[in-house]
Amino acid sequence: MLDKHTKVCLCKAIPRIKIKEAVSRGADTVEKVQKATGAGSGGCGGRRCTPKIQELLEKELNK
Ligand code: FES
């Protein structure tokens, strides 16, 4: 259970649990997840976290 501590978006310090929560509330695209969580709006412009969000989203949606 590293979801709370594993940061998906380093710039904004958004943990994996937040991404999962957004997905469970209906965010089904990377854009929606980013909008709901604020991930992707940090200094790197989402360059570091967008691929991770994409991967996580696919995993969550295919559960
Ligand atoms: S790591 Fe997410 S915006 Fe930079």
Side-chain angles (χ1 to χ4, degrees):
M1 281 320 277
L2 293 165
D3 283 356
K4 255 188 213 162
H5 304 289
T6 307
K7 303 279 185 275
V8 174
C9 176
L10 298 171
C11 298
K12 307 288 271 187
I14 316 264
R16 192 155 63 200
I17 187 87
K18 288 280 172 208
I19 305 291
K20 288 191 177 180
E21 277 169 13
V23 177
S24 70
R25 291 204 194 97
D28 55 1
T29 65
V30 172
E31 290 73 24
K32 285 187 200 170
V33 171
Q34 289 179 328
K35 218 172 157 207
T37 60
S41 59
C44 79
R47 260 187 303 127
R48 286 185 294 179
C49 56
T50 301
K52 285 192 270 180
I53 294 170
Q54 177 84 53
E55 194 182 312
L56 199 52
L57 184 62
E58 275 162 24
K59 261 192 227 159
E60 290 299 300
L61 293 177
N62 290 318
K63 259 185 187 170

